Amino acid sequence: MKFQIEDVTVYFPYDNIYPEQYAYMVELKRALDAKGHCLLEMPTGTGKTIALLSLITSYALSKPSNPIKFIYCTRTVHEMEKTLSELKLLHNYQLQHLGPAAKILALGLSSRKNLCINPTVVSAENRDSVDAACRKLTASWVRELAAENPRIPTCSFFENYEKSASEAILPPGVYTLQDLRAYGKLKGWCPYFLARHMVQLANVVVYSYQYLLDPKVAGIISKEMQRESVVVFDEAHNIDNVCIEALSVSVRMQTLEGATRNINRMSQEIDRFKATDAGRLRAEYNRLVEGLALRGDLPASDAWLANPALPNDILKEAVPGNIRRAEHFLSVLRRLVQYIRGRLQTENVEKEGPVAFVASVNTQAGIDQKMLRFCYDRLHSLMLTLEISDTDEFLHIQTICDFATLVGTYTRGFSIIIEPFDERMPHIPDPVLQLCCHDASLAIKPVFERFQSVVITSGTLSPIDLYPRLLNFNPVVSRSFTMSLTRDCICPMVLTRGSDQLPVSTKYDLRSDPGVEKNYGKLLLEMVSVVPDGIVCFFVSYSYMDGIVNSWHETGLLKEIMQHKLVFIETQDVVETTLALDNYRKACDCGRGAVFFSVARGKVAEGIDFDRHYGRLVIMFGVPFQYTLSRILLARLEYLRDTFQIKEGDFLTFDALRQAAQCVGRVIRSKADYGMMIFADKRYSRHDKRSKLPGWILSHLRDAHLNLSTDMAAHIAREGIKEEGSQMIIKVAVLDLSIACDST
């Protein structure tokens, strides 16, 4: 369908549009007109992605004289592919109505692991190994040697891409990762480097959050993006955590041992170069005297992750004299590694700010702040000079230099926390030094400053007024939409007690109570006997899930549950979990039904949908608070309180409830779907907790469902299933009648 929103003709590839989709587009257009940033909460399953794509691409088409680039950020490759598939459908619709005028170039960008088509490279076991294998075939010094000695292996796809030069371009269209690989095979070009080049020319780019929020990645991928860009962060309920992780570093004893090996290897390489090509080291020294900015643009194949710190003026300064010589720099790194090793040999927990830490390094190791700040770029320069291509072997020293540069750059928003062991396993020595970022606004600030409009959107942004404080920005539009429904397709319930009227909760003083574990088991047993198809259960942590499943096994409850449905469990191993999910779906497909045990902060809670018969009921066992004795969390809470006046309790509740909402939202992915949600913890009945759930859940949470026992919940579930079943029968009858009428 085609319709107007003020001066913009919106092309929407479906025959019908939901009221909330239209309202969403109106608010989105307001933000684009104002050239400002916005926060939009849109219920799960209401077509948020196609509404975003339709409005922004139509907005760009309506202003051909002022071209707008559209950057769409997703969390997973699966979401990226889904977005590009929707965009392909939309683009075909626009071509039908506008012809060649609607032509655009849109593509997804991911790592070499997902785009490489060289069989020897892509067979490496992980992303770092794939990157290193690619570098060994494409680095400029490798190609120079191969030109003289044909026996030295190179990548034919990269060579063909380089030979094609300006002809190596993508024609207009929408390219998924699979399309890019297929096009690369057809032309004999490297899809990864082709996509990297075309990102600057494309109208629409879809890639992961890290390409904008992690300075190391953004510095090589997104630095040339024009200001007239609209940036969308989809499923952005955890965007503050992504920002913090991008600027946090952990150093363990294994890191230091690996870094020492890396330094020894580089020392050997320096000795070799002194004997065979001393001029190369002299040339590097002279260049560093002039400043890092004069190294020029590197070939794409030699590009290295950019500086982890955000200030760009570091590149305009000359490298400190005492780390210009390669051997002097290695001596500094040895002293730094030795200093950190000494700090890890503590028996007490230590916490200090970057200023105190830098002063201590200066006093005890003779390394000043400026030397620390230049560590990362100085390492990069040295590795290029030494022509090191197996970068996956040097991840440990990169981590040390990453840490040094961050601690030497920032004076606030960070803490250094040294722990001799994990509090949950105090008998196992496992010392770790953590540079913890507490201020999410540091990573996202350059994005807000560089681009004219940034859209932060998700199905769970409640309470929405907390995000501007956490991210330190002023949105021009901030709206939360409810779901318009012709029927109740979701049925949320709050279960506060078991059949024996004892309260249920994962609160610390109750979670190990045998009565609570028994009542949770009885709840699941009741539900598997009533609810057809798939049931998904979320627990507050892996350890709690392990404990409660063991308890159910010992008491025979698990055996009773498995007489009704098969049980599958998420583990911390990705391969095992993927296999469990596949078998869970097979059990649902064949009508056997199944239960999937998962963790509220695990992989399944974020990216996996349990739509249709894969999820007729989701049970959230407890409130998924973070581990409140974590020193990293306590330091962040202290920073939020002192800097943004956000109370500790408010943030913890907000964080737990957004996670709970994300979990239960897995079962409803469209308005044609239906599912029940049980919040099994007495704390959900309290208004201060419950009110932080998204409006689209609260609007369906009846007062009569706020304080249920197991028996009452089972009765409501039974009646709900009957009602849905009768509606399905009516639909089938109407369909049969219409078919009969058509045939006559």
Side-chain angles (χ1 to χ4, degrees):
M1 65 189 297
K2 194 169 73 167
F3 55 90
Q4 290 290 129
I5 296 182
E6 296 171 356
D7 58 332
V8 172
T9 303
V10 179
Y11 297 89
F12 190 74
Y14 297 104
D15 295 334
N16 301 297
I17 186 170
Y18 299 140
E20 56 268 41
Q21 283 179 308
Y22 183 81
Y24 186 90
M25 290 184 188
V26 169
E27 295 299 329
L28 187 53
K29 183 181 181 295
R30 269 183 58 208
L32 298 184
D33 287 339
K35 292 183 167 57
H37 314 312
C38 67
L39 276 164
L40 297 171
E41 183 182 46
M42 177 88 149
T44 276
T46 49
K48 167 167 47 73
T49 302
I50 195 62
L52 270 166
L53 296 173
S54 296
L55 189 279
I56 297 175
T57 54
S58 299
Y59 191 91
L61 287 169
S62 72
K63 302 187 185 320
S65 58
N66 185 21
I68 294 172
K69 193 181 193 81
F70 179 16
I71 303 169
Y72 194 101
C73 300
T74 67
R75 290 168 312 150
T76 64
V77 172
H78 176 66
E79 286 173 359
M80 183 192 303
E81 293 287 66
K82 276 200 325 192
T83 301
L84 287 163
S85 297
E86 287 270 40
L87 183 58
K88 197 176 274 191
L89 177 75
L90 171 64
H91 183 51
N92 290 337
Y93 182 78
Q94 290 171 341
L95 286 172
Q96 287 173 19
H97 285 268
L98 293 171
K103 281 188 177 179
I104 61 167
L105 175 60
L107 57 92
L109 179 64
S110 188
S111 64
R112 290 173 173 87
K113 180 78 177 164
N114 295 318
L115 280 173
C116 180
I117 53 175
N118 185 316
T120 57
V121 172
V122 81
S123 62
E125 58 186 15
N126 57 45
R127 193 178 69 184
D128 292 322
S129 301
V130 171
D131 289 349
C134 173
R135 201 177 180 85
K136 287 173 190 172
L137 299 179
T138 61
S140 56
W141 55 87
V142 173
R143 297 175 65 225
E144 284 170 16
L145 289 171
E148 299 170 7
N149 181 0
R151 291 183 181 176
I152 292 174
T154 57
C155 176
S156 60
F157 298 104
F158 182 76
E159 294 302 322
N160 291 339
Y161 165 74
E162 285 285 290
K163 283 174 192 167
S164 301
S166 59
E167 292 177 16
I169 57 169
L170 281 168
V174 179
Y175 295 85
T176 64
L177 301 185
Q178 189 176 343
D179 294 335
L180 285 169
R181 289 194 297 269
Y183 191 78
K185 287 176 182 174
L186 177 69
K187 290 287 190 177
W189 296 339
C190 171
Y192 173 74
F193 285 103
L194 176 63
R196 277 265 301 269
H197 171 62
M198 296 307 296
V199 154
Q200 307 301 334
L201 308 174
N203 307 92
V204 183
V205 180
V206 184
Y207 54 30
S208 81
Y209 282 31
Q210 277 69 24
Y211 284 78
L212 279 181
L213 295 179
D214 187 335
K216 297 195 293 297
V217 185
I220 58 168
I221 300 293
S222 306
K223 62 180 179 181
E224 304 297 332
M225 298 292 193
Q226 59 262 41
R227 173 163 174 76
E228 293 73 29
S229 298
V230 177
V231 176
V232 171
F233 289 105
D234 195 10
E235 298 297 331
H237 46 278
N238 279 336
I239 192 167
D240 54 312
N241 292 334
V242 177
C243 292
I244 279 168
E245 285 165 17
L247 293 176
S248 296
V249 184
S250 290
V251 178
R252 297 179 183 274
M253 279 298 184
Q254 300 95 302
T255 316
L256 299 178
E257 288 161 8
T260 302
R261 288 195 301 272
N262 296 158
I263 293 169
N264 291 338
R265 161 95 181 271
M266 285 191 286
S267 184
Q268 291 167 6
E269 291 294 314
I270 288 168
D271 291 341
R272 185 172 67 82
F273 269 89
K274 277 183 177 176
T276 59
D277 192 1
R280 183 184 288 274
L281 291 169
R282 273 199 303 275
E284 183 196 39
Y285 177 86
N286 294 332
R287 181 165 49 76
L288 294 174
V289 171
E290 300 297 327
L292 286 163
L294 295 181
R295 68 182 165 199
D297 288 330
L298 294 169
S301 57
D302 292 355
W304 157 288
L305 293 178
N307 194 295
L310 297 162
N312 290 321
D313 55 357
I314 189 171
L315 294 176
K316 297 170 188 169
E317 298 180 45
V319 174
N322 40 11
I323 59 170
R324 283 179 198 154
R325 291 202 181 282
E327 55 270 35
H328 293 173
F329 174 57
L330 290 190
S331 173
V332 167
L333 289 183
R334 284 189 201 279
R335 296 204 305 274
L336 179 60
V337 167
Q338 195 58 36
Y339 172 80
I340 296 172
R341 191 188 302 276
R343 293 297 301 265
L344 281 178
Q345 289 169 351
T346 179
E347 294 181 2
N348 303 310
V349 174
E350 297 176 17
K351 179 194 164 195
E352 60 189 346
V355 175
F357 185 87
V358 170
S360 175
V361 173
N362 198 0
T363 304
Q364 297 184 42
I367 305 170
D368 64 27
Q369 184 176 5
K370 192 169 184 183
M371 289 158 70
L372 287 171
R373 213 164 80 227
F374 274 91
C375 272
Y376 194 85
D377 280 305
R378 182 65 188 91
L379 178 70
H380 177 199
S381 175
L382 181 58
M383 288 182 71
L384 284 176
T385 301
L386 299 178
E387 298 182 343
I388 290 172
S389 52
D390 52 342
T391 47
D392 57 332
E393 300 292 328
F394 285 78
L395 294 175
H396 298 295
I397 195 64
Q398 290 175 40
T399 301
I400 297 295
C401 290
D402 191 349
F403 167 79
T405 295
L406 286 168
V407 83
T409 302
Y410 294 103
T411 55
R412 56 175 292 279
F414 286 80
S415 291
I416 290 94
I417 298 174
I418 304 169
E419 295 180 283
F421 49 77
D422 188 323
E423 268 214 347
R424 287 166 283 193
M425 292 180 286
H427 306 299
I428 303 172
D430 184 22
V432 58
L433 181 148
Q434 297 170 96
L435 176 68
C436 314
C437 178
H438 306 313
D439 192 345
S441 68
L442 290 173
I444 204 168
K445 182 183 176 186
V447 181
F448 286 138
E449 289 177 346
R450 276 185 55 204
F451 300 111
Q452 68 179 27
S453 288
V454 177
V455 180
I456 293 173
T457 186
S458 177
T460 45
L461 288 178
S462 299
I464 203 166
D465 59 340
L466 205 55
Y467 283 89
R469 293 161 70 191
L470 283 172
L471 303 176
N472 198 21
F473 78 110
N474 295 311
V476 294
V477 173
S478 181
R479 276 288 304 274
S480 184
F481 301 92
T482 56
M483 191 188 290
S484 62
L485 293 169
T486 54
R487 65 188 181 97
D488 287 337
C489 67
I490 62 171
C491 177
M493 298 175 253
V494 174
L495 183 122
T496 60
R497 59 197 189 279
S499 304
D500 55 7
Q501 303 306 305
L502 286 175
V504 293
S505 176
T506 56
K507 202 174 176 184
Y508 193 74
D509 55 350
L510 279 176
R511 65 167 55 184
S512 300
D513 187 314
V516 173
E517 293 178 346
K518 180 185 170 187
N519 277 322
Y520 275 154
K522 292 283 188 185
L523 167 65
L524 183 55
L525 182 58
E526 287 279 359
M527 291 302 159
V528 293
S529 63
V530 170
V531 179
D533 301 321
I535 296 177
V536 189
C537 301
F538 286 99
F539 298 85
V540 292
S541 68
Y542 283 107
S543 59
Y544 185 65
M545 179 173 71
D546 290 346
I548 207 165
V549 170
N550 280 333
S551 171
W552 291 348
H553 175 66
E554 288 167 6
T555 57
L557 267 170
L558 191 60
K559 190 175 182 181
E560 290 183 62
I561 290 165
M562 292 181 72
Q563 285 175 353
H564 295 275
K565 293 182 189 294
L566 298 174
V567 173
F568 299 92
I569 302 179
E570 175 189 0
T571 69
Q572 296 186 51
D573 183 280
V574 177
V575 177
E576 283 181 6
T577 300
T578 304
L579 193 62
L581 271 169
D582 287 345
N583 287 322
Y584 169 83
R585 289 199 170 100
K586 284 176 186 172
C588 293
D589 287 339
C590 72
R592 174 74 170 83
V595 183
F596 195 85
F597 290 168
S598 186
V599 174
R601 295 180 186 274
K603 291 271 190 293
V604 171
E606 284 295 321
I608 307 297
D609 293 340
F610 293 94
D611 55 335
R612 299 173 292 117
H613 61 294
Y614 299 126
R616 288 300 177 213
L617 167 69
V618 61
I619 304 174
M620 181 71 243
F621 287 114
V623 183
F625 284 106
Q626 290 190 55
Y627 179 58
T628 49
L629 295 179
S630 160
R631 290 185 176 85
I632 297 172
L633 177 61
L634 292 172
R636 184 183 180 193
L637 292 174
E638 183 184 332
Y639 181 82
L640 291 176
R641 185 192 64 225
D642 296 344
T643 310
F644 300 118
Q645 289 73 55
I646 297 171
K647 294 176 183 173
E648 291 95 327
D650 288 347
F651 177 78
L652 285 170
T653 302
F654 150 78
D655 180 67
L657 270 291
R658 69 174 168 181
Q659 204 60 47
Q662 190 63 24
C663 291
V664 298
R666 298 293 93 205
V667 298
I668 182 84
R669 308 314 293 173
S670 77
K671 291 191 183 185
D673 204 353
Y674 72 90
M676 291 173 286
M677 309 164 176
I678 297 179
F679 295 92
D681 193 303
K682 65 176 185 177
R683 290 172 289 180
Y684 287 111
S685 64
R686 286 169 46 185
H687 182 265
D688 65 318
K689 297 281 188 292
R690 192 175 68 251
S691 62
K692 290 182 171 59
L693 288 169
W696 59 271
I697 293 178
L698 289 175
S699 61
H700 292 87
L701 185 54
R702 302 175 191 170
D703 290 343
H705 293 177
L706 284 178
N707 186 15
L708 302 177
S709 67
T710 301
D711 300 340
M712 296 159 72
H715 174 72
I716 292 166
R718 195 177 288 111
E719 293 302 309
I721 293 296
K722 278 183 189 173
E723 189 177 331
E724 282 297 337
S726 62
Q727 286 191 13
M728 290 298 291
I729 290 167
I730 291 167
K731 282 181 188 173
V732 171
V734 169
L735 185 64
D736 287 346
L737 185 61
S738 64
I739 291 169
C741 291
D742 288 345
S743 62
T744 54

